[in-house]
Amino acid sequence: MTTIDERAERERGHVRITGLKAMELRNSTGQSLVRVETDSGLFGVGEAGVAGPACRANLKWLERVLIGADPLNIDKLYHQMMGLQHTYQAHVPTISGVDIALWDLAGKILNLSVSEMLTGRFRERVEIYYGGSPPSWTDRPAIDDWVAKFRAHPHGYRTVKCGFPLPDNALLSRPFAGAEPSQSLKQSDLKSIRDGLATFRDALGWDLDFIVHCHNEWDVPTAIGICEAVEEARPLWVEDPLQVFFSDGYKALRAASGVRICTGEKIEGFRAFFPFIAEGGIDVLHPDLCWCGGISGGRKIAEFADHYGLPVALHNCGTLVHNMANVHFGACVRNFSMSETRLYNRQYIADMGGLDGYDLVDGKMAVPDGPGLGIELVPEVLRAELKEGEPFWQ
């Protein structure tokens, strides 16, 4: 029987990269699809955590590394792209999209799925969850109705990521704005959070789970107060309570919190994750494959985290390409936990794969068996969903 390495060696040197293209779809949260083309006619698709114009500009900068290269030398190309320093440093979100596309392309060349090419699969189904919140945190009938609809979802999701209740006059000094760091809350605000999530947990029951969603906006005392307020409701973790960049505040928060601390969606590359892992700043890593270096970068981060006994969950606010990259990653990473999804938040995300539905049972998605990411994008759907002013694969 031919091994994967033997199959790759047999194909090495026969295909060369000839083109790099990108485009941005509507309502894509600022991300772009990336396409790596070859002289064989095969191509791979990925997703980058950057808007279309910026992605195309950075792809132009990557041409000197990629054009003419053998697409099967993924690890070499990853290090060459990430090592760029002059005149511009490596743009990790663009490299992330290229890396995902290279893995999709390699799978098509070798007729293997991404997860088969990497480690083989630790699991055949990957748990996914989505974000949402009740329309009111004080109206118990409205909360019960929301929970009933969540339970009735045909995919059987078991976990939801939600915000928390804040009064209109919540902040001490300025109007609330997510992702603006060092915001503060009063004790009365924390009481509203405690009461709202206690009601939510009572309605949710204990057979379902939830995640508390922040946006890197709170100061350390407030983050500690939020964790104290939600502790009795037992969320899986509190996500992104402090600013993106590592500081001793993360260690102080983790030491004080009775709830797991999770962050990582906007952290770029292995080096930036290092202190969060090695210095004990968090309990759960939460990288985004479209930001952290793609599948190659994500695996390096996950392997390092595994030495410290830390689980890895994946952020995802992208399209079907992002979703399937996460599913294959989840299948082949031992310390993987679960992945966020937007698969059914926007109809075109499901439609762009040309399928009526996806194999989802009890909130777990089957890993595709087809080559690469296991999907074929529908050009008509992509054209219909192009962001205004964006080219089609340019």
Side-chain angles (χ1 to χ4, degrees), residues 52-133:
C55 188
R56 287 188 290 276
N58 282 287
L59 288 177
K60 191 71 177 176
W61 179 239
L62 292 174
E63 284 183 355
R64 62 177 178 149
V65 172
L66 296 168
I67 298 300
D70 186 335
L72 291 179
N73 293 330
I74 300 177
D75 196 52
K76 172 187 172 182
L77 295 175
Y78 171 80
H79 283 289
Q80 286 181 310
M81 290 188 290
M82 291 291 287
L84 291 173
Q85 297 180 60
H86 303 291
T87 299
Y88 305 105
Q89 289 186 348
H91 188 259
V92 183
T94 300
I95 292 170
S96 301
V98 172
D99 181 82
I100 294 168
L102 287 173
W103 281 110
D104 183 48
L105 174 58
K108 291 172 180 175
I109 294 171
L110 303 179
N111 196 32
L112 292 168
S113 73
V114 168
S115 42
E116 288 176 299
M117 284 189 295
L118 291 169
T119 59
R121 296 175 182 172
F122 288 99
R123 52 194 67 84
E124 293 296 328
R125 288 184 172 272
V126 169
E127 183 170 358
I128 61 176
Y129 68 90
Y130 71 86
S133 298

Side-chain angles (χ1 to χ4, degrees), residues 83-282:
L84 291 173
Q85 297 180 60
H86 303 291
T87 299
Y88 305 105
Q89 289 186 348
H91 188 259
V92 183
T94 300
I95 292 170
S96 301
V98 172
D99 181 82
I100 294 168
L102 287 173
W103 281 110
D104 183 48
L105 174 58
K108 291 172 180 175
I109 294 171
L110 303 179
N111 196 32
L112 292 168
S113 73
V114 168
S115 42
E116 288 176 299
M117 284 189 295
L118 291 169
T119 59
R121 296 175 182 172
F122 288 99
R123 52 194 67 84
E124 293 296 328
R125 288 184 172 272
V126 169
E127 183 170 358
I128 61 176
Y129 68 90
Y130 71 86
S133 298
S136 168
W137 291 99
T138 57
D139 184 343
R140 180 57 189 263
I143 296 174
D144 288 337
D145 183 62
W146 188 93
V147 170
K149 290 177 181 177
F150 179 77
R151 285 185 175 277
H153 198 287
H155 302 141
Y157 293 111
R158 312 300 301 167
T159 301
V160 63
K161 180 166 74 175
C162 62
F164 46 74
L166 281 178
D168 292 338
N169 60 346
L171 291 203
L172 291 171
S173 58
R174 58 189 174 187
F176 171 76
E180 291 190 4
S182 299
Q183 304 262 13
S184 298
L185 289 175
K186 299 174 288 185
Q187 292 302 320
S188 56
D189 304 325
L190 296 172
K191 177 67 162 55
S192 295
I193 295 171
R194 184 190 306 274
D195 293 345
L197 288 184
T199 302
F200 183 59
R201 167 55 82 186
D202 188 58
L204 202 64
W206 289 94
D207 60 324
L208 300 176
D209 289 290
F210 74 97
I211 295 162
V212 173
H213 191 200
C214 304
H215 295 88
N216 304 105
E217 64 267 63
W218 305 113
D219 60 27
V220 175
T222 295
I224 292 173
I226 290 170
C227 290
E228 291 174 345
V230 304
E231 182 175 354
E232 188 174 343
R234 297 297 180 189
L236 285 179
W237 54 74
V238 173
E239 177 185 323
D240 296 337
L242 301 177
Q243 63 182 354
V244 171
F245 311 104
F246 182 78
S247 72
D248 284 347
Y250 268 99
K251 291 191 288 185
L253 172 60
R254 189 186 186 202
S257 174
V259 180
R260 294 185 187 96
I261 304 302
C262 169
T263 200
E265 68 184 63
K266 286 297 181 284
I267 301 176
E268 297 183 8
F270 175 85
R271 292 178 183 87
F273 271 93
F274 184 90
F276 289 93
I277 301 169
E279 298 190 31
I282 54 176

Side-chain angles (χ1 to χ4, degrees), residues 24-26 385-391:
E24 183 180 352
L25 303 182
R26 290 185 294 184
E385 296 298 332
L386 272 177
K387 185 177 180 180
E388 185 178 355
E390 277 288 294

